[in-house]
């Protein structure tokens, strides 16, 4: 039987298990990436594993998130990461050099390879035909140590593309259309694979926008074939020799198929405050806009900024809009400079920032009170921008620039002719600041600032557990709700005691205090929630910091993949409701008793009885034998030490 691109890459990297949906598989990881906000913890964990040098083909340590230096903390972390990269044999991409995903696509990605990154948008590499997945820092640390990456074999969702995009419609709109159809949980348990005649209408940059933004479907990853467009992209990067062809066989079978006519897609926009709250732009046109940001790992390529600049050659920006550009990488910045487009942007009045994540994760660029902010970013979760009452919309660079010109949300087709532009056959690499791995014999001292706290110790799972329902939450809770980011909290990522003070602070400012009081009274914490719990980022802090406070069980209707893996890694038991009606009966504050948990877990039991507020609730346990041992040991590091 013919195979999909996904199956071919998986088969090439399979170390254990069978490629059967629902079964655990172990994969060889060729490349890893980390960014600074998750990376500091990932390298503390790598140190704890005790391997002298990374064992992958290539590992890159990026600094792109925590760029504001309002005190020593972020700057200390940058220096720590550079010294770690030198000591353990990694490439190092310093602050200002660009967003990990954009730089990795340009300088390191190779078709057919596996990439594991401590960031949920790692699937960007799928645009190049890589199997690129996001994971928690500890999983990436394990991969750097040469250990396999374990995954429950997903189903494959084939998306058959045909037709070609209309003027003013671009790759962003393709995924907005898919999000409109499938929602933020529609991809959970799937790898999205694109095929069909429409694929060749999309450049690697377009494809990378789609696979990047595909993280918002909850999918494990997304992948395109590697074809002539892929070869041309690698040639433009001076890396043509790294190209290999990779296509699905004509008789390959997908578990589900969606048909998507590119010609029928119109400009779309995601309204506040979820990426799947999608409508045609014309339905919300005319709403006044305060801020427009073009940037992020989804839409900040040479192509994207060129379209914006070419549009601004013919139109003026509204004076009521703060129009800002965050170039994706130094390569993007160098090329738009060399081609004159940067001058157009500056002259038009754009505020041009350094390359990096910036406002996408609330590191500056917060919008004004009640002001609408249009962003070419992948996420608009409530409060993520840094303004509590934010109204963030997600859209293409075309919609962004049209709205910045008119001062109101605008369908770009109203601007008339689509600007004509070409892209360079050969780009300036812009990688002069990327440091290559230092030789193994180099003497390197790791530089630690006072903000780096040692990794906390965690106890093994007890047989009997007494707790309290600390929070009862709805569907689609994001990791931004659980462990908020932003300029004030992000610098605490390498200090678990300090960052844990902010767990669930968006929902209940006193959560940490209440948790500490409960622990003093002899109770642990349980969180109860609805569907797709923990969607969004890969930050393991959303598991690690609650665990530090004493949260030990999560009982929900369903989990997002990366968050569930992080819970397991830090010894929090992920349970789901056998009967969703039980969710309705539970109240915040209810006392909880679980008896015989270790025995059920290690005995392979598929459910456990949880006494909540006097009621017996059957909770399902969907875990592999390996997961069960890890949780019983209190977490992956404890388990690895025992091993
Ligand atoms: C995000 O976009 O939410 C982040 C910030 O890049 C996160 C990583 C983090 O929280 O550090 C992600 O996507 O995984
Ligand atoms: Fe950075 Fe935003 Fe991309 Fe996350 S989504 S990696 S914060 S640009």
């Amino acid at each position: 039987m013919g195979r999909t691109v996904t199956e071919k890459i998986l088969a090439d990297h399979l170390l254990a298990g069978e490629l059967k949906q629902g079964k655990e598989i172990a994969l060889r990881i060729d490349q890893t990436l980390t960014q600074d906000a998750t990376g500091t913890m990932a390298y503390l964990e790598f140190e704890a594993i005790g391997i002298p040098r990374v064992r992958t083909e290539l590992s890159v340590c990026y600094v792109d998130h925590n760029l504001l230096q309002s005190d020593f903390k972020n700057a200390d972390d940058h220096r720590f990461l550079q010294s770690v990269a030198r000591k353990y044999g990694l490439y190092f991409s310093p602050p200002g050099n660009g967003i990990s995903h954009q730089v990795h696509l340009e300088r390191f990605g190779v078709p057919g390879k596996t990439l594991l990154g401590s960031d949920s948008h790692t699937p960007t590499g799928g645009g190049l035909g890589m199997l690129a997945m996001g994971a928690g820092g500890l999983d990436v640390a394990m991969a750097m140590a040469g250990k396999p990456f374990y995954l429950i074999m997903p189903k494959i969702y084939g998306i058959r593309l045909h037709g070609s995009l209309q003027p003013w419609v671009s790759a962003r709109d393709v995924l907005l259309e898919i999000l409109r159809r499938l929602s933020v949980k529609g991809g959970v348990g799937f790898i999205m694979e694109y095929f069909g005649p429409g694929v060749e209408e999309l450049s690697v940059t377009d494809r990378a926008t789609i696979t990047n933004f595909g993280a918002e479907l909850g999918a494990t990853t997304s992948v395109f074939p590697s074809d002539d467009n892929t070869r041309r992209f690698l040639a433009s990067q001076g890396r043509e020799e790294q190209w290999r062809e990779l296509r699905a066989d004509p008789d390959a079978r997908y578990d589900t198929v969606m048909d998507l006519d590119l010609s029928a897609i119109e400009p779309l926009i995601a309204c506040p405050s979820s990426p799947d709250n999608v409508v045609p732009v014309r339905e919300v046109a005319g709403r006044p806009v305060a801020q427009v940001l073009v940037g992020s790992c989804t839409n900040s390529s040479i192509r994207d900024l060129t379209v914006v600049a070419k549009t601004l050659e013919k139109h003026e920006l509204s004076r009521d809009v703060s129009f800002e550009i965050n170039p994706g990488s130094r390569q993007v910045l160098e090329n738009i400079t060399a081609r004159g487009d940067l001058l157009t942007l500056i002259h038009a009045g754009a505020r041009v920032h350094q390359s990096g994540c910036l406002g996408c994760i609330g590191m500056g660029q917060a919008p004004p009170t009640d002001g609408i902010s249009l962003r070419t970013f992948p996420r608009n979760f409530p409060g993520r921008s840094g303004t509590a009452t934010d109204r963030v919309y997600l859209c293409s660079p075309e919609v962004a620039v049209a709205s910045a010109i008119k001062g109101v949300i605008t369908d770009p087709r109203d601007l008339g002719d689509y600007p004509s532009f070409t892209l360079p056959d050969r780009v300036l690499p812009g990688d002069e600041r990327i440091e290559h791995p230092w030789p193994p014999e180099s003497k390197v001292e790791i530089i630690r600032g006072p903000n780096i706290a040692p990794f906390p110790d965690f106890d093994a799972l007890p047989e009997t557990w007494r707790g309290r329902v600390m929070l009862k939450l709805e569907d689609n809770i994001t990791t931004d709700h659980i462990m908020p980011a932003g300029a004030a909290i992000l610098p605490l990522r390498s200090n678990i005691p300090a960052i844990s003070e902010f767990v669930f602070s968006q929902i209940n400012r006193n959560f940490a205090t209440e948790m500490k009081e409960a622990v003093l009274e002899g109770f642990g914490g349980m969180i109860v929630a609805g569907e797709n719990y923990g969607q969004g980022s890969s930050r393991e802090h959303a598991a690690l910091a609650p665990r530090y406070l004493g949260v030990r069980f999560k009982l929900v209707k369903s989990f997002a993949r990366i968050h569930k893996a992080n819970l397991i890694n830090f010894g929090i038991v992920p349970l789901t409701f056998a009967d969703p009606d039980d969710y309705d009966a539970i109240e915040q504050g209810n006392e909880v008793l679980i008896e015989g948990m270790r025995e059920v877990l290690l005995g392979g039991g598929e459910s456990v009885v949880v006494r909540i507020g006097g009621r017996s609730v059957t909770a399902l346990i969907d875990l592999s034998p390996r997961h069960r041992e890890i949780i019983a040991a209190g977490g992956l590091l404890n388990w690895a030490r025992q091993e």
Side-chain angles (χ1 to χ4, degrees):
M1 198 179 72
R3 292 183 305 166
T4 59
V5 169
T6 306
E7 286 164 334
K8 290 183 183 183
I9 305 179
L10 288 174
D12 275 355
H13 292 84
L14 193 65
L15 296 175
E18 261 182 287
L19 297 182
K20 283 219 174 104
Q21 195 261 315
K23 298 269 180 242
E24 190 172 67
I25 52 173
L27 295 177
R28 177 166 46 80
I29 296 299
D30 301 321
Q31 301 190 347
T32 65
L33 70 80
T34 56
Q35 41 91 336
D36 49 326
T38 53
T40 47
M41 194 49 67
Y43 295 106
L44 292 174
E45 290 156 351
F46 182 77
E47 282 189 305
I49 301 169
I51 305 274
R53 204 170 163 86
V54 290
R55 292 187 175 159
T56 48
E57 287 176 11
L58 174 146
S59 287
V60 192
C61 170
Y62 293 93
V63 177
D64 53 5
H65 280 64
N66 294 349
L67 298 183
L68 296 185
Q69 290 162 229
S70 49
D71 69 12
F72 63 93
K73 295 191 199 72
N74 289 342
D76 279 5
D77 281 350
H78 302 168
R79 210 164 50 166
F80 166 73
L81 290 168
Q82 185 170 30
S83 63
V84 160
R86 289 176 176 171
K87 182 162 172 105
Y88 296 116
L90 290 91
Y91 286 85
F92 179 68
S93 174
N97 196 61
I99 305 171
S100 64
H101 312 301
Q102 177 68 27
V103 180
H104 209 87
L105 190 78
E106 295 164 353
R107 304 313 303 153
F108 298 110
V110 178
K113 299 271 180 192
T114 50
L115 167 67
L116 196 71
S118 64
D119 192 281
S120 65
H121 290 103
T122 305
T124 314
L128 258 182
M130 303 187 85
L131 199 83
M133 291 168 289
L138 185 48
D139 283 330
V140 177
M142 288 294 201
M144 289 192 287
K147 312 264 184 227
F149 175 61
Y150 294 90
L151 181 73
I152 304 298
M153 176 64 192
K155 289 184 271 189
I156 304 175
Y157 204 130
I159 301 198
R160 184 177 174 275
L161 302 176
H162 55 98
S164 53
L165 294 171
Q166 301 290 317
W168 295 110
V169 177
S170 62
R172 155 75 59 160
D173 298 302
V174 175
L175 209 92
L176 282 170
E177 173 59 22
I178 300 174
L179 274 163
R180 194 180 67 76
R181 296 187 191 184
L182 296 185
S183 90
V184 288
K185 49 180 196 282
V188 175
F190 284 100
I191 291 181
M192 318 301 285
E193 180 170 325
Y194 292 84
F195 70 105
V199 164
E200 64 189 49
E201 299 293 319
L202 302 171
S203 67
V204 165
T205 309
D206 297 333
R207 297 174 187 179
T209 293
I210 293 171
T211 58
N212 166 292
F213 198 25
E216 286 359 288
L217 293 164
T220 301
T221 187
S222 304
V223 65
F224 272 87
S226 169
D227 58 8
D228 235 33
N229 290 358
T230 322
R231 191 184 50 72
R232 260 196 298 280
F233 175 83
L234 287 170
S236 77
Q237 294 288 336
R239 306 199 284 123
E240 190 172 355
E241 75 291 349
Q242 294 180 337
W243 180 71
R244 67 173 264 221
E245 189 173 33
L246 193 58
R247 294 177 194 268
D249 297 327
D251 56 343
R253 296 235 336 257
Y254 302 89
D255 295 291
T256 309
V257 174
M258 176 196 287
D259 190 76
L260 194 57
D261 178 3
L262 296 173
S263 341
I265 300 177
E266 63 173 310
L268 297 169
I269 192 163
C271 298
S273 292
S274 178
D276 60 357
N277 197 4
V278 176
V279 297
V281 175
R282 60 191 156 73
E283 273 183 28
V284 290
R287 296 186 185 171
V289 172
Q291 182 190 48
V292 175
L293 304 181
V294 178
S296 90
C297 53
T298 319
N299 269 125
S300 59
S301 60
I302 301 175
R303 179 251 167 230
D304 292 335
L305 301 193
T306 303
V307 175
V308 170
K310 293 297 175 214
T311 308
L312 286 173
E313 279 177 3
K314 297 220 178 85
H315 300 272
E316 268 179 44
L317 284 175
S318 159
R319 292 200 175 261
D320 294 329
V321 175
S322 171
F323 182 64
E324 308 185 32
I325 303 276
N326 305 339
S329 65
R330 188 179 299 278
Q331 178 182 100
V332 172
L333 193 51
E334 277 193 16
N335 284 278
I336 62 166
T337 306
R339 288 156 54 86
D341 295 315
L342 181 63
L343 185 60
T344 310
L345 294 172
I346 295 173
H347 192 66
R351 298 169 63 184
V352 181
H353 300 266
Q354 66 178 312
S355 298
C357 299
L358 306 174
C360 182
I361 190 56
M363 195 45 76
Q365 302 181 312
T369 308
D370 296 335
I372 288 185
S373 175
L374 253 59
R375 302 173 163 214
T376 68
F377 298 174
R379 291 188 173 143
N380 58 347
F381 301 143
R384 178 173 158 108
S385 67
T387 299
T389 58
D390 64 8
R391 289 194 283 156
V392 176
Y393 291 69
L394 307 174
C395 63
S396 67
E398 287 84 349
V399 174
V401 66
S403 306
I405 290 165
K406 299 285 186 193
V408 294
I409 298 181
T410 300
D411 185 324
R413 293 173 297 187
D414 294 350
L415 292 183
D417 291 341
Y418 192 60
S420 69
F421 62 90
T422 54
L423 292 171
D425 291 334
R426 188 70 188 242
V427 298
L428 298 167
D431 61 357
E432 296 74 15
R433 297 294 290 174
I434 297 180
E435 216 173 275
H436 286 242
W438 280 27
E441 59 281 4
S442 317
K443 294 237 168 317
V444 183
E445 192 78 35
I446 293 189
I447 310 174
R448 275 169 234 271
N451 186 42
I452 297 184
F455 193 81
D457 274 336
F458 291 134
D459 60 346
L461 185 73
E463 192 62 90
T464 299
W465 184 83
R466 228 169 256 288
R468 200 175 271 162
V469 176
M470 299 302 291
L471 283 176
K472 183 180 171 186
L473 305 167
E474 64 273 28
D475 289 348
N476 294 325
I477 291 296
T478 71
T479 52
D480 280 284
H481 291 103
I482 306 169
M483 187 70 262
I489 305 177
L490 277 169
L492 304 174
R493 285 280 181 97
S494 31
N495 187 336
I496 296 304
I499 204 169
S500 68
E501 295 295 322
F502 296 92
V503 169
F504 285 117
S505 57
Q506 272 197 31
I507 295 172
N508 171 9
R509 188 62 198 93
N510 294 324
F511 182 84
T513 313
E514 288 172 14
M515 209 39 250
K516 285 181 206 161
E517 284 165 5
V519 168
L520 283 177
E521 291 165 25
F523 294 101
M526 169 181 269
I527 308 295
V528 171
E531 303 278 4
N532 198 26
Y533 179 79
Q535 68 158 326
S537 100
S538 69
R539 65 190 71 147
E540 60 191 354
H541 300 75
L544 185 45
R547 171 74 210 274
Y548 178 79
L549 291 175
V551 173
R552 202 66 193 249
F553 283 83
K554 302 245 174 162
L555 176 56
V556 306
K557 291 185 186 164
S558 66
F559 286 100
R561 173 187 67 92
I562 305 179
H563 188 59
K564 182 174 173 188
N566 285 333
L567 293 175
I568 297 167
N569 283 350
F570 295 103
I572 296 181
V573 191
L575 300 174
T576 53
F577 287 101
D579 176 359
D581 286 348
D582 283 328
Y583 168 87
D584 299 322
I586 295 175
E587 284 173 28
Q588 198 160 301
N590 278 167
E591 286 192 10
V592 186
L593 177 67
I594 306 181
E595 287 174 309
M597 188 65 223
R598 284 183 71 88
E599 201 184 320
V600 174
L601 199 64
L602 294 172
E606 289 178 357
S607 67
V608 64
V609 175
V610 182
R611 299 278 307 159
I612 306 186
R615 195 182 166 88
S616 289
V617 172
T618 305
L620 303 179
I621 307 172
D622 181 12
L623 295 167
S624 72
R626 206 182 116 264
H627 291 151
R628 290 164 187 264
E629 286 179 19
I630 292 172
I631 293 175
L636 182 55
L637 281 178
N638 290 359
W639 179 80
R641 277 187 207 114
Q642 286 172 16
E643 290 286 291

